[in-house]
C-alpha cells in the first residue's frame, strides 16, 4: 500500500488510495492495524486532485477520533490528525458532508481533550484555526 502514497505517485492515484483506506477503516476499523496504517493514511491528506474521496477519507478519520475504542490509539497522532482536519477546513471544493464530519470530529475532540490538544491546535496556521472554529460552530448549530 505504501507505494500508492509515495510522492512519485500522481495526486489522483494517491487520493484514490486515501479514499480506499477510508472505506476500509469504515468497514472494519477494529480489525485493522491502526498504528501501522494511520501514519501513511494521514500522510496522504490533504487530498490534492480527486476531492470525491474526501467524504470517505474524512468520515473515516472522524469515526476513529470519536469512537471510544479507537480514539486513544489515534490521539497518539493528534498533531497529524489536527493538521489534516485543519487543511480540510480551508481546502476549496471539499464536499459539505466531509466538512461537516470534520467539524463534528473536532468539536468532539475539543470537548473531550481540550487540554491535551491545546498545543497542537495552537501550532496550526491561523487560517486553519479559524476554519476549524467555523466548522465546529456549524456542526454545533446543526445539532441544535
Amino acid at each position: 500500500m505504501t507505494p500508492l502514497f509515495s510522492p512519485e505517485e500522481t495526486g489522483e492515484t494517491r487520493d484514490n488510495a486515501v479514499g480506499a483506506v477510508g472505506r476500509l477503516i469504515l468497514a472494519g476499523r477494529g480489525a485493522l492495524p491502526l498504528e501501522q496504517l494511520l501514519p501513511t493514511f494521514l500522510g496522504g491528506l490533504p487530498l490534492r486532485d480527486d476531492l470525491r474521496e474526501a467524504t470517505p477519507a474524512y468520515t473515516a478519520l472522524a469515526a476513529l477520533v470519536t469512537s471510544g475504542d479507537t480514539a486513544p490509539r489515534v490521539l497518539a497522532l493528534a498533531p497529524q490528525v489536527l493538521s489534516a482536519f485543519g487543511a480540510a477546513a480551508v481546502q476549496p471544493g471539499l464536499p459539505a458532508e466531509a466538512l461537516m464530519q470534520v467539524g463534528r470530529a473536532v468539536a468532539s475532540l475539543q470537548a473531550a481533550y481540550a487540554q491535551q490538544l491545546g498545543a497542537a491546535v495552537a501550532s496550526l496556521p491561523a487560517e486553519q484555526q479559524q476554519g476549524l472554529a467555523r466548522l465546529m460552530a456549524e456542526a454545533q448549530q446543526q445539532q441544535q
Side-chain angles (χ1 to χ4, degrees):
M1 175 182 80
T2 304
L4 294 174
F5 290 85
S6 74
E8 295 80 35
E9 204 50 73
T10 66
E12 191 167 297
T13 299
R14 191 172 37 251
D15 292 351
N16 288 336
V18 169
V21 170
R23 288 178 189 86
L24 286 171
I25 291 169
L26 290 169
R29 64 180 168 252
L32 296 173
L34 293 178
E35 290 79 6
Q36 296 155 351
L37 182 68
L38 281 177
T40 303
F41 178 67
L42 290 168
L45 296 170
L47 300 174
R48 291 163 183 85
D49 295 320
D50 191 353
L51 299 183
R52 295 172 298 180
E53 299 296 346
T55 300
Y58 289 110
T59 300
L61 189 53
L64 290 174
V65 301
T66 58
S67 173
D69 61 328
T70 55
R73 294 165 46 201
V74 176
L75 288 176
L77 298 169
Q80 296 94 323
V81 169
L82 288 170
S83 178
F85 283 153
V90 298
Q91 186 172 11
L94 285 187
E97 177 60 26
L99 293 172
M100 184 55 58
Q101 293 295 332
V102 169
R104 288 179 184 149
V106 175
S108 176
L109 285 172
Q110 192 72 0
Y113 304 101
Q115 265 188 303
Q116 298 94 315
L117 299 177
V121 172
S123 71
L124 293 174
E127 177 185 38
Q128 291 184 8
Q129 290 180 40
Q130 293 165 357
L132 288 175
R134 177 183 46 80
L135 291 178
M136 287 190 299
E138 290 172 5
Q140 289 171 347
Q141 281 180 338
Q142 284 207 345
Q143 287 181 345
Q144 295 176 354

